[in-house]
Amino acid sequence: MTEYSQEVVQRFHGTPEQVAAGRIEEPPARWQSNVIEDYDPAWPDRFAVAASSMKAALGDLIIDIEHVGSTSVPGLAAKPIIDIDLLLDDTTDESRYVPVLEGIGYRLLLREPWWHGHRMLVHPVGDANLHVWPQAAPEPTRHRLFRDWLRAHPQDRDLYAATKRRLARDTADRAGDYSLAKNDVIDQILARIFATTEERRRPGPD
């Protein structure tokens, strides 16, 4: 049974000020509202197309590429924006990957070295968020754990969906607060994930 490091277990919360400081360009217009839609079976296909173009462009630079976020969970309501985790050996030297990704239509939006070296690029029409991480970053591990848990636990999937719909309504006049407002429910679900992992690791009675 996998034992996760404290970096993985203890989730880091950025502040609105940190996010604003890392912004390089204005966000897409779609970020001005948070529209939660019913699950669309076409979302995995959209990820597959995007991943294929990245693999063709970056080749061996890619360590891993994953479909994460709500659109990666069958049956989960979500904003219709594909979240992609792209792992490279390092993100510090942007000249190795940013121009290539710009060549296939993405633009660099966020530079967040304080958040495990995270860079975020977006598709011009705003329908894909590309998160670029160094290989050792803990956040992609949490993303995969969260995704796989929601795929296997419909009760938490439905809790998350209901919470997102409520928060989208509650933050309708301040859409930028939506992502941070989800932290409480995300942390609750992650706590269950890690508690279950710890329980399974404990040796049974002789």
Side-chain angles (χ1 to χ4, degrees):
M1 183 61 61
T2 302
E3 181 175 2
Y4 297 104
S5 69
Q6 284 301 109
E7 274 200 325
V8 171
V9 174
Q10 294 180 347
R11 182 166 172 256
F12 176 79
H13 290 171
T15 66
E17 292 77 17
Q18 286 174 313
V19 174
R23 186 173 297 158
I24 296 168
E25 295 187 18
E26 286 302 308
R30 295 181 72 159
W31 283 26
Q32 296 175 12
S33 63
N34 295 300
V35 179
I36 308 299
E37 299 184 1
D38 291 338
Y39 178 76
D40 186 342
W43 288 339
D45 293 334
R46 284 174 49 196
F47 163 74
V49 170
S52 178
S53 67
M54 291 174 202
K55 290 175 182 177
L58 291 171
D60 293 342
L61 286 179
I62 296 177
I63 292 173
D64 196 12
I65 186 166
E66 294 271 355
H67 186 189
V68 295
S70 294
T71 61
S72 68
V73 180
L76 179 58
K79 293 191 294 184
I81 300 172
I82 307 301
D83 279 294
I84 302 169
D85 274 350
L86 174 65
L87 270 65
L88 308 177
D89 61 345
D90 183 52
T91 58
T92 305
D93 184 359
E94 295 175 3
S95 68
R96 299 173 63 226
Y97 61 94
V98 169
V100 178
L101 292 169
E102 289 175 338
I104 57 172
Y106 290 83
R107 62 186 179 92
L108 183 63
L109 181 69
L110 294 174
R111 178 184 295 118
E112 301 176 309
W114 47 267
W115 192 26
H116 313 296
H118 176 247
R119 269 59 169 179
M120 180 177 173
L121 295 91
V122 294
H123 196 273
V125 297
D127 65 351
N129 295 336
L130 174 59
H131 304 275
V132 187
W133 305 93
Q135 183 178 12
E139 193 68 24
T141 299
R142 279 191 293 269
H143 289 173
R144 293 192 297 272
L145 288 169
F146 194 77
R147 175 198 65 194
D148 294 348
W149 178 271
L150 294 185
R151 286 175 175 176
H153 295 81
Q155 186 172 355
D156 272 342
R157 180 199 65 199
D158 294 344
L159 168 66
Y160 191 44
T163 302
K164 289 195 300 173
R165 291 189 188 277
R166 174 176 58 80
L167 292 175
R169 293 192 299 268
D170 291 349
T171 62
D173 60 345
R174 53 186 197 286
D177 292 351
Y178 170 78
S179 292
L180 291 177
K182 293 188 299 179
N183 280 333
D184 284 348
V185 69
I186 291 172
D187 286 343
Q188 290 170 23
I189 294 172
L190 283 170
R192 284 193 279 279
I193 294 171
F194 293 123
T196 300
T197 302
E198 177 63 24
E199 183 66 29
R200 289 176 178 172
R201 261 195 328 110
R202 292 174 184 164
D206 292 337

